Amino acid sequence: MCTILCVSVWGQDSISDMQRDSVLAAKDSIILQYEQQMKEMQLRELIMQEQIDLSDKGAQEDSLRQVALKASIDSLRKVTNGAPLVVDGDTLLYIYARKGGLLPEARVEDAADKIVDAGKSMSMFLDSVYIYESDTQSDIMIGNEVLLSVTDMDALWNDTDRQTLVIKYKQLLDTKIQELYDEYGLKQRLKGLALALFIICVQVLLIWGTIKLFRRWKSRLTRRLLKRLKPWQMKDYTMLDMHRMGIITIVVLNLLRIFIILLQLIISIPLLFTMFPETKELIYTVIGYVWNPIKHIFGAVVAYIPNLFQIIIIVLCFRYVIKLIRYFATEIENERLKISGFYADWAMPTFTVLRILLYSFMLVMIWPLLPSSESEVFQGVSVFIGLVISLGSTSVVGNIMAGLVMTYMRPFRVGDYVRFGDTTGEVVERTILVTRIRTLKNELVTIPNSNLMGSQISNYTFSAGKYGIIVHTKITIGYDEPWDKIESLLIQAAEKTEGIKHHPKPFVNVSALDDFYVEYEINAYTDRHKTLPRVYSTLHSNILDSMHGAGVEIMSPSIFATRPNLPTQIPQEEKKS
């Protein structure tokens, strides 16, 4: 019993120890778990703290980077020109930053095209403009179309935040699209079309009315004007008779009708084009093409008025100086004013030279006052013209100089009977370039003065008036005739000739003693320089009569060679006498 109790007591103690050990073990396990959890919590705390530290450091770095970027943009904003967003001639905003790979210029060009397309839409109702936000950008949209995207970089360049900037841009674009729609929309086009049709109808009616009015009143106005007008006469010549004046009146009325129609078209066509926005700028441009030259010309004319007055004064002064010189030249030419050593025939050529010199000096004074005389084009054209004239007028200048020299040499005057080479005749005209001679056959020969200058000229008029011209001719007589007989016959023939002077007396020269004959030359004085051919003809006739009447045979070498078979060469009438 005791044993049993002891065993049971020992057993109970063993069980309690085991329970205690299990409890202790469980307790230790729980403590270990708590400790492990505490370590894990501490580890997590450390990791979280580290992450917090890293995020704070990144935030600080981002903040510092943002500050540096803003400072850089602030410094660049002063020297950087943004890309303007220009729509229909109106600058709405400026873009400075890229968006991805797009440059600012590409961004504004794309946005401008989309805004114009939206504003010029032909739909009856305009879509509203709204903003679509995302994490990286804000889009300004109309319908499903993105008009413009605004990024944080755009906000930095404009020194504001993205939300404020996109609202501002949205208001600008919305206002501009509405303006474009009001100007280019379907309503405006319909209104412009109606007004254009109205203007065309009115213009057609005006043209029809103008033509009808002129057709109705043209004959009446012409008759009334011709009743009041008189023929325009100048002395005995009628420049405009009534028929011509009637034609001129009709032409003037037709021109007036055309002018009125053109004036109507000038007013109506611009109004017609201004009805449509697309052609409004075109008509302004065309009007500018016409008006700007007119305005420029009018302004140039007004600005040129002082120089014009100077030119007028210079021209008037030189004109009256030339008139004064012409007066003295005319007086000298008419021999009312005589200057010792200055011939009357020098007067007009000298006046011509002085007039050319004065006009040249006047041109030198006027030249700097001409419009655009200082421009390179004007100077280049002047040099070119001078070069062409100098190269192409060499012979002309030579003739002019020869004419001037001969004027003061006085080899002949107008009316003189001269011989130049094979040309013999009367000088009928002398100019600064040529001299004209009328021959005995009434042929008018024009000779350049340079040719006359370099050749021998015989002036029969001068010789006949001062010395007398010696007419001379030669005959051949055989050795069987006495020389004094032949001389007497020749002098007798010369004295019978009309136009031969008796003082000085005619004389005979024996000019040659040939192998078979003697050559005699008769010389006689005459003052008939204009009828020399007639004097020679009469002299030759008288020589024939004298020789044949005296039985003298006028021989030649060929006649002498055939003498045995040839009868005497004297007319039968002369032999009988």
mmCIF file of all heavy atoms in Angstrom, residues 317-330 332 339 342 346-363 400 404 407-408 432:
data_model
loop_
_atom_site.group_PDB
_atom_site.id
_atom_site.type_symbol
_atom_site.label_atom_id
_atom_site.label_comp_id
_atom_site.label_asym_id
_atom_site.label_seq_id
_atom_site.Cartn_x
_atom_site.Cartn_y
_atom_site.Cartn_z
ATOM 1 N N CYS A 317 17.624 130.493 -118.710
ATOM 2 C CA CYS A 317 18.814 131.348 -118.827
ATOM 3 C C CYS A 317 19.599 131.017 -120.093
ATOM 4 O O CYS A 317 19.967 131.918 -120.872
ATOM 5 C CB CYS A 317 19.692 131.184 -117.594
ATOM 6 S SG CYS A 317 18.972 131.842 -116.068
ATOM 7 N N PHE A 318 19.848 129.743 -120.317
ATOM 8 C CA PHE A 318 20.607 129.369 -121.508
ATOM 9 C C PHE A 318 19.821 129.671 -122.780
ATOM 10 O O PHE A 318 20.405 130.024 -123.815
ATOM 11 C CB PHE A 318 20.966 127.886 -121.453
ATOM 12 C CG PHE A 318 22.214 127.604 -120.668
ATOM 13 C CD1 PHE A 318 22.150 127.339 -119.315
ATOM 14 C CD2 PHE A 318 23.446 127.624 -121.289
ATOM 15 C CE1 PHE A 318 23.299 127.082 -118.583
ATOM 16 C CE2 PHE A 318 24.611 127.373 -120.571
ATOM 17 C CZ PHE A 318 24.540 127.099 -119.214
ATOM 18 N N ARG A 319 18.505 129.539 -122.729
ATOM 19 C CA ARG A 319 17.699 129.802 -123.915
ATOM 20 C C ARG A 319 17.812 131.260 -124.335
ATOM 21 O O ARG A 319 17.985 131.572 -125.533
ATOM 22 C CB ARG A 319 16.241 129.444 -123.633
ATOM 23 C CG ARG A 319 15.332 129.660 -124.826
ATOM 24 C CD ARG A 319 13.899 129.278 -124.494
ATOM 25 N NE ARG A 319 13.020 129.501 -125.636
ATOM 26 C CZ ARG A 319 11.710 129.312 -125.602
ATOM 27 N NH1 ARG A 319 11.125 128.909 -124.488
ATOM 28 N NH2 ARG A 319 10.975 129.542 -126.683
ATOM 29 N N TYR A 320 17.746 132.175 -123.387
ATOM 30 C CA TYR A 320 17.831 133.590 -123.740
ATOM 31 C C TYR A 320 19.245 133.986 -124.130
ATOM 32 O O TYR A 320 19.443 134.876 -124.967
ATOM 33 C CB TYR A 320 17.312 134.449 -122.590
ATOM 34 C CG TYR A 320 15.805 134.429 -122.496
ATOM 35 C CD1 TYR A 320 15.155 133.717 -121.499
ATOM 36 C CD2 TYR A 320 15.032 135.113 -123.426
ATOM 37 C CE1 TYR A 320 13.776 133.700 -121.417
ATOM 38 C CE2 TYR A 320 13.643 135.102 -123.357
ATOM 39 C CZ TYR A 320 13.019 134.388 -122.352
ATOM 40 O OH TYR A 320 11.656 134.355 -122.295
ATOM 41 N N VAL A 321 20.254 133.344 -123.553
ATOM 42 C CA VAL A 321 21.631 133.600 -123.994
ATOM 43 C C VAL A 321 21.807 133.170 -125.441
ATOM 44 O O VAL A 321 22.418 133.876 -126.262
ATOM 45 C CB VAL A 321 22.627 132.867 -123.066
ATOM 46 C CG1 VAL A 321 24.030 132.914 -123.660
ATOM 47 C CG2 VAL A 321 22.628 133.500 -121.685
ATOM 48 N N ILE A 322 21.253 131.984 -125.804
ATOM 49 C CA ILE A 322 21.352 131.498 -127.182
ATOM 50 C C ILE A 322 20.582 132.421 -128.128
ATOM 51 O O ILE A 322 21.029 132.690 -129.254
ATOM 52 C CB ILE A 322 20.833 130.048 -127.256
ATOM 53 C CG1 ILE A 322 21.798 129.111 -126.525
ATOM 54 C CG2 ILE A 322 20.654 129.603 -128.700
ATOM 55 C CD1 ILE A 322 21.295 127.693 -126.386
ATOM 56 N N LYS A 323 19.420 132.912 -127.687
ATOM 57 C CA LYS A 323 18.674 133.865 -128.519
ATOM 58 C C LYS A 323 19.494 135.128 -128.775
ATOM 59 O O LYS A 323 19.491 135.673 -129.891
ATOM 60 C CB LYS A 323 17.352 134.218 -127.853
ATOM 61 C CG LYS A 323 16.276 133.160 -128.013
ATOM 62 C CD LYS A 323 14.946 133.671 -127.476
ATOM 63 C CE LYS A 323 13.826 132.665 -127.753
ATOM 64 N NZ LYS A 323 12.513 133.164 -127.279
ATOM 65 N N LEU A 324 20.196 135.610 -127.754
ATOM 66 C CA LEU A 324 21.030 136.800 -127.921
ATOM 67 C C LEU A 324 22.154 136.550 -128.920
ATOM 68 O O LEU A 324 22.434 137.382 -129.794
ATOM 69 C CB LEU A 324 21.592 137.223 -126.566
ATOM 70 C CG LEU A 324 22.479 138.470 -126.555
ATOM 71 C CD1 LEU A 324 21.682 139.689 -126.998
ATOM 72 C CD2 LEU A 324 23.069 138.684 -125.159
ATOM 73 N N ILE A 325 22.791 135.382 -128.810
ATOM 74 C CA ILE A 325 23.862 135.057 -129.743
ATOM 75 C C ILE A 325 23.309 134.902 -131.159
ATOM 76 O O ILE A 325 23.933 135.322 -132.139
ATOM 77 C CB ILE A 325 24.589 133.773 -129.285
ATOM 78 C CG1 ILE A 325 25.265 133.985 -127.930
ATOM 79 C CG2 ILE A 325 25.619 133.334 -130.316
ATOM 80 C CD1 ILE A 325 25.881 132.738 -127.356
ATOM 81 N N ARG A 326 22.109 134.291 -131.289
ATOM 82 C CA ARG A 326 21.494 134.156 -132.611
ATOM 83 C C ARG A 326 21.223 135.531 -133.234
ATOM 84 O O ARG A 326 21.394 135.728 -134.448
ATOM 85 C CB ARG A 326 20.187 133.375 -132.494
ATOM 86 C CG ARG A 326 19.502 133.151 -133.850
ATOM 87 C CD ARG A 326 18.082 132.658 -133.630
ATOM 88 N NE ARG A 326 18.067 131.336 -133.073
ATOM 89 C CZ ARG A 326 18.092 130.206 -133.805
ATOM 90 N NH1 ARG A 326 18.124 130.282 -135.128
ATOM 91 N NH2 ARG A 326 18.071 129.038 -133.212
ATOM 92 N N TYR A 327 20.805 136.481 -132.410
ATOM 93 C CA TYR A 327 20.532 137.824 -132.924
ATOM 94 C C TYR A 327 21.800 138.446 -133.516
ATOM 95 O O TYR A 327 21.783 138.970 -134.640
ATOM 96 C CB TYR A 327 19.986 138.699 -131.790
ATOM 97 C CG TYR A 327 19.918 140.166 -132.146
ATOM 98 C CD1 TYR A 327 18.920 140.659 -132.986
ATOM 99 C CD2 TYR A 327 20.867 141.060 -131.641
ATOM 100 C CE1 TYR A 327 18.871 142.000 -133.319
ATOM 101 C CE2 TYR A 327 20.821 142.401 -131.969
ATOM 102 C CZ TYR A 327 19.829 142.871 -132.805
ATOM 103 O OH TYR A 327 19.776 144.194 -133.150
ATOM 104 N N PHE A 328 22.916 138.376 -132.773
ATOM 105 C CA PHE A 328 24.167 138.949 -133.295
ATOM 106 C C PHE A 328 24.649 138.185 -134.521
ATOM 107 O O PHE A 328 25.180 138.787 -135.469
ATOM 108 C CB PHE A 328 25.240 138.941 -132.213
ATOM 109 C CG PHE A 328 25.023 140.002 -131.162
ATOM 110 C CD1 PHE A 328 24.664 139.671 -129.865
ATOM 111 C CD2 PHE A 328 25.177 141.352 -131.471
ATOM 112 C CE1 PHE A 328 24.468 140.644 -128.902
ATOM 113 C CE2 PHE A 328 24.981 142.329 -130.509
ATOM 114 C CZ PHE A 328 24.620 141.986 -129.218
ATOM 115 N N ALA A 329 24.474 136.855 -134.538
ATOM 116 C CA ALA A 329 24.898 136.079 -135.699
ATOM 117 C C ALA A 329 24.088 136.458 -136.931
ATOM 118 O O ALA A 329 24.635 136.571 -138.043
ATOM 119 C CB ALA A 329 24.747 134.582 -135.405
ATOM 120 N N THR A 330 22.779 136.675 -136.762
ATOM 121 C CA THR A 330 21.941 137.087 -137.886
ATOM 122 C C THR A 330 22.344 138.464 -138.401
ATOM 123 O O THR A 330 22.377 138.708 -139.616
ATOM 124 C CB THR A 330 20.462 137.088 -137.462
ATOM 125 O OG1 THR A 330 20.109 135.800 -136.956
ATOM 126 C CG2 THR A 330 19.561 137.415 -138.630
ATOM 127 N N ILE A 332 25.314 139.788 -138.223
ATOM 128 C CA ILE A 332 26.589 139.667 -138.940
ATOM 129 C C ILE A 332 26.381 139.008 -140.294
ATOM 130 O O ILE A 332 26.981 139.406 -141.305
ATOM 131 C CB ILE A 332 27.597 138.869 -138.087
ATOM 132 C CG1 ILE A 332 27.945 139.643 -136.817
ATOM 133 C CG2 ILE A 332 28.854 138.559 -138.882
ATOM 134 C CD1 ILE A 332 28.800 138.871 -135.846
ATOM 135 N N ILE A 339 32.402 143.009 -138.202
ATOM 136 C CA ILE A 339 33.540 142.858 -137.289
ATOM 137 C C ILE A 339 34.764 142.618 -138.148
ATOM 138 O O ILE A 339 34.769 141.738 -139.019
ATOM 139 C CB ILE A 339 33.319 141.691 -136.303
ATOM 140 C CG1 ILE A 339 32.075 141.946 -135.461
ATOM 141 C CG2 ILE A 339 34.537 141.494 -135.405
ATOM 142 C CD1 ILE A 339 31.737 140.800 -134.525
ATOM 143 N N PHE A 342 36.223 139.095 -139.382
ATOM 144 C CA PHE A 342 35.199 138.063 -139.190
ATOM 145 C C PHE A 342 34.239 138.144 -140.367
ATOM 146 O O PHE A 342 33.515 139.125 -140.541
ATOM 147 C CB PHE A 342 34.450 138.290 -137.880
ATOM 148 C CG PHE A 342 33.601 137.119 -137.450
ATOM 149 C CD1 PHE A 342 34.136 136.117 -136.666
ATOM 150 C CD2 PHE A 342 32.268 137.024 -137.848
ATOM 151 C CE1 PHE A 342 33.363 135.042 -136.275
ATOM 152 C CE2 PHE A 342 31.498 135.958 -137.459
ATOM 153 C CZ PHE A 342 32.044 134.963 -136.674
ATOM 154 N N TRP A 346 30.814 133.224 -141.723
ATOM 155 C CA TRP A 346 31.220 132.517 -140.492
ATOM 156 C C TRP A 346 30.151 132.628 -139.408
ATOM 157 O O TRP A 346 30.233 131.915 -138.391
ATOM 158 C CB TRP A 346 32.521 133.102 -139.961
ATOM 159 C CG TRP A 346 33.732 132.744 -140.763
ATOM 160 C CD1 TRP A 346 33.780 131.968 -141.871
ATOM 161 C CD2 TRP A 346 35.061 133.176 -140.504
ATOM 162 N NE1 TRP A 346 35.053 131.866 -142.338
ATOM 163 C CE2 TRP A 346 35.878 132.596 -141.519
ATOM 164 C CE3 TRP A 346 35.661 133.980 -139.552
ATOM 165 C CZ2 TRP A 346 37.242 132.809 -141.577
ATOM 166 C CZ3 TRP A 346 37.032 134.191 -139.593
ATOM 167 C CH2 TRP A 346 37.820 133.607 -140.601
ATOM 168 N N ALA A 347 29.222 133.518 -139.569
ATOM 169 C CA ALA A 347 28.307 133.853 -138.473
ATOM 170 C C ALA A 347 27.492 132.647 -138.013
ATOM 171 O O ALA A 347 27.519 132.263 -136.841
ATOM 172 C CB ALA A 347 27.387 135.004 -138.897
ATOM 173 N N MET A 348 26.744 132.026 -138.925
ATOM 174 C CA MET A 348 25.856 130.925 -138.535
ATOM 175 C C MET A 348 26.628 129.677 -138.102
ATOM 176 O O MET A 348 26.239 129.022 -137.115
ATOM 177 C CB MET A 348 24.877 130.595 -139.665
ATOM 178 C CG MET A 348 23.921 131.739 -139.991
ATOM 179 S SD MET A 348 23.147 132.503 -138.537
ATOM 180 C CE MET A 348 22.190 131.125 -137.898
ATOM 181 N N PRO A 349 27.720 129.283 -138.804
ATOM 182 C CA PRO A 349 28.498 128.150 -138.273
ATOM 183 C C PRO A 349 29.054 128.408 -136.882
ATOM 184 O O PRO A 349 29.061 127.511 -136.028
ATOM 185 C CB PRO A 349 29.616 127.975 -139.303
ATOM 186 C CG PRO A 349 29.045 128.516 -140.569
ATOM 187 C CD PRO A 349 28.190 129.663 -140.150
ATOM 188 N N THR A 350 29.524 129.643 -136.645
ATOM 189 C CA THR A 350 30.029 129.964 -135.303
ATOM 190 C C THR A 350 28.896 129.899 -134.278
ATOM 191 O O THR A 350 29.084 129.411 -133.152
ATOM 192 C CB THR A 350 30.668 131.356 -135.305
ATOM 193 O OG1 THR A 350 31.698 131.395 -136.296
ATOM 194 C CG2 THR A 350 31.255 131.680 -133.941
ATOM 195 N N PHE A 351 27.715 130.390 -134.690
ATOM 196 C CA PHE A 351 26.566 130.294 -133.789
ATOM 197 C C PHE A 351 26.229 128.833 -133.488
ATOM 198 O O PHE A 351 25.891 128.486 -132.348
ATOM 199 C CB PHE A 351 25.361 130.995 -134.421
ATOM 200 C CG PHE A 351 24.064 130.667 -133.765
ATOM 201 C CD1 PHE A 351 23.749 131.149 -132.506
ATOM 202 C CD2 PHE A 351 23.142 129.835 -134.407
ATOM 203 C CE1 PHE A 351 22.544 130.831 -131.890
ATOM 204 C CE2 PHE A 351 21.943 129.513 -133.802
ATOM 205 C CZ PHE A 351 21.644 130.014 -132.541
ATOM 206 N N THR A 352 26.315 127.966 -134.498
ATOM 207 C CA THR A 352 26.034 126.540 -134.286
ATOM 208 C C THR A 352 27.011 125.936 -133.289
ATOM 209 O O THR A 352 26.628 125.181 -132.378
ATOM 210 C CB THR A 352 26.101 125.784 -135.613
ATOM 211 O OG1 THR A 352 25.157 126.350 -136.532
ATOM 212 C CG2 THR A 352 25.787 124.310 -135.415
ATOM 213 N N VAL A 353 28.305 126.270 -133.429
ATOM 214 C CA VAL A 353 29.321 125.750 -132.496
ATOM 215 C C VAL A 353 29.054 126.245 -131.082
ATOM 216 O O VAL A 353 29.090 125.469 -130.107
ATOM 217 C CB VAL A 353 30.720 126.148 -132.973
ATOM 218 C CG1 VAL A 353 31.771 125.750 -131.931
ATOM 219 C CG2 VAL A 353 31.033 125.489 -134.305
ATOM 220 N N LEU A 354 28.783 127.544 -130.951
ATOM 221 C CA LEU A 354 28.518 128.102 -129.621
ATOM 222 C C LEU A 354 27.249 127.493 -129.014
ATOM 223 O O LEU A 354 27.193 127.234 -127.802
ATOM 224 C CB LEU A 354 28.385 129.618 -129.710
ATOM 225 C CG LEU A 354 29.669 130.383 -130.045
ATOM 226 C CD1 LEU A 354 29.374 131.873 -130.193
ATOM 227 C CD2 LEU A 354 30.728 130.160 -128.962
ATOM 228 N N ARG A 355 26.238 127.265 -129.844
ATOM 229 C CA ARG A 355 25.001 126.673 -129.332
ATOM 230 C C ARG A 355 25.249 125.253 -128.822
ATOM 231 O O ARG A 355 24.742 124.869 -127.752
ATOM 232 C CB ARG A 355 23.933 126.657 -130.431
ATOM 233 C CG ARG A 355 22.600 126.101 -129.972
ATOM 234 C CD ARG A 355 21.543 126.285 -131.026
ATOM 235 N NE ARG A 355 21.893 125.605 -132.264
ATOM 236 C CZ ARG A 355 21.132 125.595 -133.350
ATOM 237 N NH1 ARG A 355 19.975 126.250 -133.339
ATOM 238 N NH2 ARG A 355 21.518 124.966 -134.440
ATOM 239 N N ILE A 356 26.040 124.474 -129.556
ATOM 240 C CA ILE A 356 26.365 123.121 -129.095
ATOM 241 C C ILE A 356 27.129 123.165 -127.783
ATOM 242 O O ILE A 356 26.854 122.395 -126.846
ATOM 243 C CB ILE A 356 27.167 122.371 -130.177
ATOM 244 C CG1 ILE A 356 26.283 122.121 -131.399
ATOM 245 C CG2 ILE A 356 27.708 121.052 -129.638
ATOM 246 C CD1 ILE A 356 27.026 121.534 -132.579
ATOM 247 N N LEU A 357 28.098 124.083 -127.682
ATOM 248 C CA LEU A 357 28.875 124.196 -126.446
ATOM 249 C C LEU A 357 27.988 124.620 -125.270
ATOM 250 O O LEU A 357 28.119 124.080 -124.159
ATOM 251 C CB LEU A 357 30.012 125.191 -126.639
ATOM 252 C CG LEU A 357 31.124 124.768 -127.611
ATOM 253 C CD1 LEU A 357 32.135 125.894 -127.773
ATOM 254 C CD2 LEU A 357 31.812 123.493 -127.129
ATOM 255 N N LEU A 358 27.083 125.570 -125.523
ATOM 256 C CA LEU A 358 26.212 126.029 -124.449
ATOM 257 C C LEU A 358 25.230 124.934 -124.020
ATOM 258 O O LEU A 358 24.984 124.744 -122.820
ATOM 259 C CB LEU A 358 25.436 127.270 -124.899
ATOM 260 C CG LEU A 358 26.258 128.564 -124.994
ATOM 261 C CD1 LEU A 358 25.434 129.672 -125.617
ATOM 262 C CD2 LEU A 358 26.752 128.990 -123.620
ATOM 263 N N TYR A 359 24.688 124.212 -124.997
ATOM 264 C CA TYR A 359 23.796 123.098 -124.641
ATOM 265 C C TYR A 359 24.545 122.014 -123.872
ATOM 266 O O TYR A 359 23.995 121.406 -122.948
ATOM 267 C CB TYR A 359 23.151 122.522 -125.897
ATOM 268 C CG TYR A 359 21.944 123.287 -126.367
ATOM 269 C CD1 TYR A 359 21.772 123.610 -127.710
ATOM 270 C CD2 TYR A 359 20.958 123.693 -125.477
ATOM 271 C CE1 TYR A 359 20.655 124.319 -128.150
ATOM 272 C CE2 TYR A 359 19.838 124.398 -125.904
ATOM 273 C CZ TYR A 359 19.697 124.711 -127.238
ATOM 274 O OH TYR A 359 18.595 125.408 -127.653
ATOM 275 N N SER A 360 25.791 121.766 -124.251
ATOM 276 C CA SER A 360 26.585 120.770 -123.522
ATOM 277 C C SER A 360 26.837 121.223 -122.086
ATOM 278 O O SER A 360 26.711 120.433 -121.142
ATOM 279 C CB SER A 360 27.918 120.540 -124.241
ATOM 280 O OG SER A 360 27.712 120.092 -125.560
ATOM 281 N N PHE A 361 27.168 122.487 -121.913
ATOM 282 C CA PHE A 361 27.387 123.010 -120.571
ATOM 283 C C PHE A 361 26.098 122.987 -119.759
ATOM 284 O O PHE A 361 26.097 122.678 -118.560
ATOM 285 C CB PHE A 361 27.930 124.429 -120.668
ATOM 286 C CG PHE A 361 28.329 125.021 -119.339
ATOM 287 C CD1 PHE A 361 29.299 124.423 -118.551
ATOM 288 C CD2 PHE A 361 27.706 126.168 -118.863
ATOM 289 C CE1 PHE A 361 29.653 124.961 -117.334
ATOM 290 C CE2 PHE A 361 28.047 126.707 -117.637
ATOM 291 C CZ PHE A 361 29.039 126.101 -116.874
ATOM 292 N N MET A 362 24.956 123.291 -120.424
ATOM 293 C CA MET A 362 23.661 123.227 -119.740
ATOM 294 C C MET A 362 23.359 121.797 -119.295
ATOM 295 O O MET A 362 22.861 121.563 -118.186
ATOM 296 C CB MET A 362 22.559 123.732 -120.673
ATOM 297 C CG MET A 362 21.162 123.731 -120.057
ATOM 298 S SD MET A 362 19.881 124.244 -121.231
ATOM 299 C CE MET A 362 19.880 122.792 -122.294
ATOM 300 N N LEU A 363 23.668 120.826 -120.150
ATOM 301 C CA LEU A 363 23.434 119.428 -119.792
ATOM 302 C C LEU A 363 24.307 119.011 -118.614
ATOM 303 O O LEU A 363 23.852 118.262 -117.733
ATOM 304 C CB LEU A 363 23.713 118.534 -121.000
ATOM 305 C CG LEU A 363 23.452 117.042 -120.811
ATOM 306 C CD1 LEU A 363 21.979 116.800 -120.496
ATOM 307 C CD2 LEU A 363 23.856 116.266 -122.058
ATOM 308 N N ILE A 400 31.970 116.262 -138.962
ATOM 309 C CA ILE A 400 31.686 117.509 -138.249
ATOM 310 C C ILE A 400 32.935 118.367 -138.144
ATOM 311 O O ILE A 400 32.918 119.582 -138.422
ATOM 312 C CB ILE A 400 31.097 117.199 -136.865
ATOM 313 C CG1 ILE A 400 29.704 116.567 -136.997
ATOM 314 C CG2 ILE A 400 31.023 118.467 -136.017
ATOM 315 C CD1 ILE A 400 29.113 116.097 -135.688
ATOM 316 N N LEU A 404 33.627 122.040 -139.810
ATOM 317 C CA LEU A 404 34.032 123.236 -139.057
ATOM 318 C C LEU A 404 35.313 123.831 -139.621
ATOM 319 O O LEU A 404 35.443 125.057 -139.765
ATOM 320 C CB LEU A 404 34.217 122.871 -137.577
ATOM 321 C CG LEU A 404 32.944 122.514 -136.795
ATOM 322 C CD1 LEU A 404 33.290 122.080 -135.384
ATOM 323 C CD2 LEU A 404 31.989 123.712 -136.758
ATOM 324 N N THR A 407 34.686 125.553 -142.827
ATOM 325 C CA THR A 407 33.945 126.802 -142.642
ATOM 326 C C THR A 407 34.891 127.977 -142.475
ATOM 327 O O THR A 407 34.682 129.059 -143.064
ATOM 328 C CB THR A 407 33.026 126.679 -141.418
ATOM 329 O OG1 THR A 407 32.058 125.655 -141.658
ATOM 330 C CG2 THR A 407 32.313 127.994 -141.137
ATOM 331 N N TYR A 408 35.924 127.768 -141.696
ATOM 332 C CA TYR A 408 36.854 128.870 -141.444
ATOM 333 C C TYR A 408 37.970 128.919 -142.478
ATOM 334 O O TYR A 408 38.650 129.934 -142.607
ATOM 335 C CB TYR A 408 37.428 128.738 -140.037
ATOM 336 C CG TYR A 408 36.365 128.899 -138.971
ATOM 337 C CD1 TYR A 408 35.795 127.791 -138.358
ATOM 338 C CD2 TYR A 408 35.903 130.159 -138.617
ATOM 339 C CE1 TYR A 408 34.799 127.934 -137.404
ATOM 340 C CE2 TYR A 408 34.905 130.313 -137.663
ATOM 341 C CZ TYR A 408 34.352 129.193 -137.059
ATOM 342 O OH TYR A 408 33.365 129.338 -136.131
ATOM 343 N N ILE A 432 26.871 120.880 -141.535
ATOM 344 C CA ILE A 432 28.035 120.555 -140.725
ATOM 345 C C ILE A 432 28.552 119.157 -141.035
ATOM 346 O O ILE A 432 29.676 118.804 -140.679
ATOM 347 C CB ILE A 432 27.681 120.694 -139.231
ATOM 348 C CG1 ILE A 432 28.956 120.830 -138.388
ATOM 349 C CG2 ILE A 432 26.843 119.509 -138.758
ATOM 350 C CD1 ILE A 432 28.704 121.260 -136.979
#
